[in-house]
Amino acid sequence: MAESVEHAFLSDTALDVIKEASKSQLFGCKESGRKRFDFSCDLTRDWERVVSGQTLWRHDRDGIDKDLRTLLTDSETAAAVYVARDTVATRGRVEEVIRDYRNSPLRPNLSKLRIFWVPADFDADSEEGRAVVRGGLRHEIHRDLLLTVALGGLSSVDVREFCRSGRLGCSPWLLAQIAKDGYAGNYTHASKRYGMGVPALKEELLRLELTGMLSREVNDHGLIGVTEKGRAMLDICAYLHAYLSGSASGGDELLYVCSLLGIDFSEISSGGQKVDFDFYRTNQHDLHPVALAGNSTLILNSLYWTSQYGEIEWPLPRYGLSLD
């Protein structure tokens, strides 16, 4: 059966959305030439993960089974993406296949499956239809696939807890120091190294562990180290600090990713004034108290005051952004 216009549009759009998201510079993306799939790419940070995808538009029951089997049995695939036409029959068959996998040795592979549904009446010849479907895929792929796979599962709740320390600015500074050192060490030595009392240090480390940004499982010695989620949070802090201090502009894709984490600076400035550290110095007394503030105010607070603990060399990460 010849590939439909809708099928081709959905496959191309899913891959294009992932490529565009890499312009946030929080990860790299390179298209793969893996012909088993309708689309495939490699995501890179200090690791490389394969994202493979199949597109469903006109398949029958056997075609759905084949698509899911191809995705779930591929040993190299870290994230299996299924872009599917949303019909009752299709949902029923997909759920049936998933139930079969739950009762098989391949059950763990289901954790890498992500399904993005497309309206059944989508017409690729309609400009409005293309815009609606592309916007929906962009939001869902960013929110699910990229935050989960590329950014270690970082969420808006994590950002909120990260910034809610009563010691304003401590969280990014402490996380950056531990990332630089490789691990925190025992409390006595870490207390001297970071110039913090042991009780305060324990409290801050525990809070960062509870957010999943620190863990004792990231090295073989059981020492507290920065997790993948923590490194993603540091990358976001580095870019936002550069944006807020005026040393770099905030790209649209970076700010869009931040908005999915509850960071939208337009919420703070009702008059449309750019939010930066100058804005904060002028308006800090009018911003909500920490207990009531949203993520935008909380991270602005935290990044502004982090210098009181000592300077941070904010390296702006550059992941391989080849889109060949």
Side-chain angles (χ1 to χ4, degrees), residues 69 132 199 247 271:
R69 183 172 63 251
V132 169
S247 61

Side-chain angles (χ1 to χ4, degrees), residues 1-11 38 54-61 63-64 67 82-87 89-90 94 116-125 129-130 133 137:
M1 182 183 295
E3 183 181 85
S4 69
V5 178
E6 287 75 18
H7 185 286
F9 175 84
L10 294 173
S11 298
D38 290 326
Q54 296 288 83
T55 301
L56 164 68
W57 194 249
R58 293 177 178 170
H59 284 348
D60 54 20
R61 289 171 58 86
I64 294 172
D67 278 350
Y82 202 28
V83 180
R85 188 177 189 177
D86 193 0
T87 67
T90 299
V94 168
F116 302 114
W117 297 103
V118 176
D121 60 350
F122 167 56
D123 179 1
D125 291 329
R130 291 196 303 272
V133 167
L137 282 176

Side-chain angles (χ1 to χ4, degrees), residues 26-94:
L26 296 172
F27 65 94
C29 174
K30 183 175 182 179
E31 185 173 348
S32 305
R34 305 174 77 233
K35 300 303 182 183
R36 294 183 65 196
F37 303 100
D38 290 326
F39 57 91
S40 181
C41 61
D42 298 331
L43 302 186
T44 60
R45 278 173 62 85
D46 25 41
W47 40 253
E48 183 170 296
R49 291 180 183 156
V50 175
V51 176
S52 302
Q54 296 288 83
T55 301
L56 164 68
W57 194 249
R58 293 177 178 170
H59 284 348
D60 54 20
R61 289 171 58 86
D62 292 338
I64 294 172
D65 183 79
K66 179 182 177 183
D67 278 350
L68 292 175
R69 183 172 63 251
T70 300
L71 286 168
L72 294 174
T73 58
D74 185 74
S75 59
E76 296 181 17
T77 295
V81 176
Y82 202 28
V83 180
R85 188 177 189 177
D86 193 0
T87 67
V88 172
T90 299
R91 281 186 179 260
R93 181 54 180 164
V94 168

